[in-house]
Structure formats: structure tokens, C-alpha cells
Amino acid sequence: MSDLVYILQQMINAVSLGSLYALVAVGLSIVFGVLKLTNFAHGDVMMVGAFTTVLLIGVGMPFIPALFCGILGAALAGLLIERIAYRPVRNAPDVTRLLTSLAVTYILENFGILVFSSSPRNFPLPDALNESWQFMGGAITFTNINLLTLALTFASLIGLGWFITKTTLGLGMRAASEDMSAAQLVGLDVNRLIVVAFIVASGFAGLAGILWAAQAGVIQPQMGFTPLLKAFVAAIIGGFGSIAGALLGGFVLGALEIFIVAFLPDAITPYRDAIVFSLLIAFLLFRPGGILKPNREIKL
Amino acid sequence: MMARAVTLALALVLMAAIAFGAPYVVSDYMVRIILLIALNSIFVLSLSLSNGFTGVFSLGHVGFIGAGAYLSGILTLTVEQKHSLLPHLPAFLNWFSLPFLPATLVAGVLMTLLAVIVGYPLMRLSGYFVSVATMGFLIIVNVVLINASDFTRGARTFTGVPLDTSLPWVFGWLAVTLLVLWRLVYSPFGRRMKAVRDDTIAASAVGIDVLKTRLLAFAIGAFFAGVGGSLYAHYLGSFSPVTFYFAMTMNLIAMLVLGGMGSLSGAIIGVISVSILSELLRSVERGFTIGDVTIPALYGASQIVLGFIFILIMIFRPKGIMGERELSLGFLNSSAKIQFKQGEVK
């Protein structure tokens, strides 16, 4: 019985972590789908969202409106990054664009350090969200912020699903990610689609950043870095560029990490990230299309 | 070819002069900067082999530098230090202590082996796939350095490494690196590397073994990364896993890209420009006063400026300062000039 309860608690943890990974990975995949760009700056857009929210709470705004403003702030940051840094190199080789995104990361992180200093500060979460629910004498515990994370993740993903299947813009975005030049040929405004993709992806990054920081309880300028790396793994496991794949990859990765920590011997636990990134390399080598697409050829 | 050889010879003489003369002429602070420029030149040159000449953009180079640094650090600690700092070191490592040069060579050779093992699967990938996969390698190395605390003291500072790295050592190794790489890059093997970079499919169609070419470039680069890591360890004396992570990766890539990814002299020019630029920016960053106006200290501002310069280069001069040209004293004789032009046309 107690084993079952333990497993149940770990499943709750896995879903909670997985939903955060999924949120970050979805944004990465949207950008990759449309632009074939590995967007390292995505993690820093998360940071922008989280800092916007914290600063607004600091001047007295309630949590929920501050959260939406944080998402807007992140979307705006994404818009600016696309306009200033990515658009001029849009037709450059892969490596040039990858390097540009690394440079954007470098700028944003150091800007964060310059303005806010690199020491972490508290995330002022309202007490109501910190309240925890306990069942079976405390063996199963989760907090309101866990619930809110899940609710917002699913609401936003359902919204995204509606957007990419039912609206013209969303359909166009998917068309562009299938084949950019064909989309251009049939008269889609590719520029506009890329901008929309960036706004949506960055909004997701902002939401993920705020929730990540709220769960961790602290924010600092380099906070987006670890989630970004994990989201790369999630997105690639699921099939880079596919939104459903990113979602799947996020939850698979969350489950895997919790499994490593909860069920493997203590000697292995600290090597969790090494295992995760070995998995990334294995996927790139043997199944570069991700879990969902087994038959893509390895590109030499 | 002639002019290039003369340029190279002149560069070597100049390097020897700096290595032995600089401490008598300039301040200790300048000597430190010169040493770091030479050291970073070894890193960036070794990085250019895979990332520049072969077109395999690795983000994992610093993994080899870090592993090489730790390895050589462990080998050169005295036996007493090993007992006090690393009490759980396995028996086969804790009864001896190697001098600087053998430890450096061991670091280089073992990093070559590691690169062959890692590269054998990874060098099948291209484009952003290989970048992300090698970034995975860097993270794995970092996790191992942090957790293999019996060998590395974990996230705590690894300390007590003898401060053996001097200007002549660094410039000596830089000369070796430069000579080996120059010999490689301007040889039939170098042409194969560039063919693989410029058009992988065409290269394999004319019979070039793409995997073997990439693997060789990756492994030779890793040798000098290991050597450079050892030099860096014996320069710093104490370091921790975070020394060898993304900040250093970013720095080396900026130097490589700024100088030009397909040129050995470009790599060195990149190192020199970024080093001088960041020293200048760092002194501005500390804050200063002009007349009545006081500019406060803005820590981190120099990195922001560097980042913007980097983006501007990506937009307006993606091939860097030198592109694929080499610094050459073409005026030495007219035939040299013609040779150089032929080289440019390919």
C-alpha cells in the first residue's frame, strides 16, 4: 500500500515537472518548425517573463494580472529579438543563425545581470498559492501552484491546439513549417507567419518561466538556462519541430527524471543529467525524427 | 606557398621573441594578457579544425579542455597533496606524480582517444544536430566532473596544481599547434576537410570518407584542447567544473567567428581582437570620470557590447575578419602573389 502511495506521489511529481518541460519545449518547437532555428534565446525569454511578473507584483499588482503581463512582456521580447537579430540572418546558413541565437542569449543574460545582479531573489508568490493539499497522512502532497501550473499548461495547450488547427494564421504557420517556399508560393505572408510564431512561442516561454520561477520560489538572470537545455532534449525526443511531439517529449522527460531520482540507487541519482543528455545523443543518432517518426533518414 | 611559409617562419620568430623577451619589457599585467592570448590561440586554433575547416560546428570543445585540465591536474599533484586533497583517489593514481610535460602529453593523448570514442557516433551528424549533440557531450562532462568527487573534489575548487605554465611553455605549444595545423590544413587532407565542409554529398561522391575526415579533424582538435587544458590548469592553479562550461565555450566561439572560421591566422587575429576589446571594455566597465561627469561601474556591460558586435558580424560579415584568407606577406616576391591568388580561387 505505502509503495503504491509513493508511486502515486512520484507520478504527480512527474506530471508537474513534465508539464513545465512541455511548455518550454512547445515554444522551441514552434520556432524550429517555422524557421529551422535552434533558438537558444528561448530560455532568456522565460527570464524576461518571470522578471516582468515579479517586478509588477513588487509594485502591487495581484498575481494573476501580473502573470498575464509577464506573458505579454515575453511575447514582446520575442518580437524584438526576431526583428533585430534573427530577421537579418534568416537566409544565412544553420550555423550562422545558431550563433546569432547564442549571442542573443549572451546579451540578455548579461543585461539581466547588469540590471538585477546575478544573486537570486525571492518570487513573491501569494500565500493562497503556497497552500498544500495533503492526503493519506501527508504521504501525498501537492500545492496550489502545482494545480495552477497544470491548469494553465492544459488551458494554454488546448488554446494552441485550437489556434493551429482552426484559425487561418495557425494553419498558415503549420504550412510554413512543412514547407516554407511552398507556403510562399501559394501566397501566404511568410514574414507575418514568422512574427506570429515568435509571439506565440515567446508567450509560451514567458508562461513557462513564470511558473518555473513560482515553483522554484526564486528568480535570477540565468534561470532560463537549465529549463532550456532540458526542453531541447524534450523537443528532440518528441521530434524537433512537431508541437505534439514536444508535448509528448516534455512529459516523457519529466517522467524519466522523476523515475531516475525516485527509483534508482542513490549512487546513480546525481548523474541524472548525464543520463538525460546521453538519451538526447542517442535520439539524434538513432531516431532523429523523434519517438513519433521512426523512419527519417540520418542526415550526413 | 612560399610567402605563407615565410609568414609562418616570421610568426614563429616573433613568438619566440615575445616568449622570452616580454617579461623584461612589459608589466606583469601585460605578460598575463599575452599569456592568455597565446593560450586562447591554442584553444581557438584547435577548435577551428572541426568547426571552421571541416564544417562540424561542435559546442563540446570545452569538454575536452576541462577534462584535459583535470586529468593533468590530478597527474601533477604531489603524492602528499593527493593524500590530503583527494583521499579517495584509486590506488593506481595516488602513488606517483608526473612532471608538467608528460602530464600535458598524457592529457592530449587521452583526449584524442575520448574524441575518437565520442566522435565515432557523433561525427555522423550534421548542421544543428551535431551542435546540439556535442553540447550534450559538454553537459555530460560537466556532470561527471561535478559528481566524480573522488577524482575532482566535485563542485568544490580543485586546488594545489603547480603553477608551471610560463610564457615559453605556452608559446612553445602554440608553435607546435600552429605548425601541425598549418601542415594539415594546407595538405591534401586539408582539401578533403574543406570539401566535406563545402559539399558533403559531392565529397562523398568523389570518394572522400566523410566520417573518417571529420573524425580525424575532431580528434586532432581534441589533442590540442587537452594540451591547452593542461596548460590552463597549470596557469590557474585552482579551478572548478564551472570554469569549463558555457561561458568559456561562448568566448572561444566569439573569437573563432570574429577572426574567420576558415583561416589559421584569422583564428589568432580573432583571439587578439576579442582579448584586447574585452580588456578595454572591462576598464570602461569599472566606471570612470570625465570632467564633472562620473560614469558608474556597469558590470556585465562589456559582455553586452561584445554580444552586439558578434551579432553585427553575423549580419554584415559572417565570414569574420579574415574569412578564408591567411595573413601573408605577398609583397615578398611576385610569384608568391600569384600563388596566393590561386589559393584564393581554389
Side-chain angles (χ1 to χ4, degrees), chain B residues 23 26 53 68 72 83 89 129 143 181 194 244 258 284 288 293 300 309 334 341-343:
Chain B
V26 294
F53 290 102
S72 142
H83 287 303
L89 202 64
F129 286 110
V143 172
L181 261 55
K194 289 172 206 161
F244 307 99
L258 186 81
V284 173
F288 54 90
V293 187
I309 291 174
S334 53
K341 275 187 188 140
Q342 279 172 347

Side-chain angles (χ1 to χ4, degrees), chain A residues 32 40 88 94-96 99-100 103 106-107 110-111 114 225 229 236 270-271 277-278 281 284-285 299-300, chain B residues 57 121-122 124-126 128-129 133 135 139-140 147 246 250 253 257 298-299 303-304 307-308 310-311 314:
Chain A
F32 185 81
F40 278 89
D94 280 356
V95 167
T96 309
L99 290 172
T100 309
Y106 195 67
I107 292 172
N110 283 295
F111 185 72
L114 182 69
F225 189 60
L229 295 180
I236 286 168
Y271 289 94
F277 284 97
S278 309
I281 292 175
L284 285 174
L285 284 171
K299 198 175 118 193
L300 191 70
Chain B
F57 206 91
L122 292 194
R124 288 157 210 273
L125 302 170
S126 290
Y128 43 83
F129 286 110
M135 180 189 80
I139 295 167
I140 293 170
N147 288 298
F246 279 92
M250 194 57 214
I253 288 176
V257 172
L298 294 170
Y299 293 106
Q303 275 99 330
I304 297 176
F308 273 110
F310 192 97
I311 289 185
M314 288 287 96

Side-chain angles (χ1 to χ4, degrees), chain B residues 57-130:
Chain B
F57 206 91
S58 162
L59 295 175
H61 199 60
V62 171
F64 295 113
I65 296 175
Y70 269 91
L71 187 67
S72 142
I74 293 169
L75 292 174
T76 51
L77 285 184
T78 62
V79 175
E80 299 82 60
Q81 277 175 321
K82 283 184 189 180
H83 287 303
S84 65
L85 293 171
L86 302 166
H88 302 293
L89 202 64
F92 72 94
L93 278 172
N94 73 1
W95 57 273
F96 69 94
S97 165
L98 283 184
F100 186 32
L101 182 62
T104 304
L105 286 171
V106 170
V109 170
L110 286 184
M111 287 311 109
T112 314
L113 285 178
L114 180 63
V116 171
I117 295 166
V118 173
Y120 189 72
L122 292 194
M123 290 302 115
R124 288 157 210 273
L125 302 170
S126 290
Y128 43 83
F129 286 110
V130 78

Side-chain angles (χ1 to χ4, degrees), chain A residues 48-68:
Chain A
V48 171
F51 267 92
T52 311
T53 301
V54 168
L55 291 178
L56 288 174
I57 293 177
V59 297
M61 193 185 268
F63 179 71
I64 298 295
L67 183 131
F68 284 103

Side-chain angles (χ1 to χ4, degrees), chain A residues 130-179:
Chain A
N130 260 331
E131 261 170 43
S132 64
W133 299 77
Q134 299 196 327
F135 297 96
M136 309 208 186
I140 291 188
T141 307
F142 49 88
T143 57
N144 276 334
I145 184 70
N146 291 131
L147 288 179
L148 183 72
T149 303
L150 266 185
L152 284 175
T153 304
F154 282 99
S156 60
L157 290 172
I158 289 168
L160 179 67
W162 171 81
F163 176 72
I164 60 170
T165 50
K166 297 281 189 273
T167 66
T168 323
L169 265 181
L171 282 171
M173 221 171 78
R174 275 164 67 209
S177 79
E178 281 297 319
D179 191 330

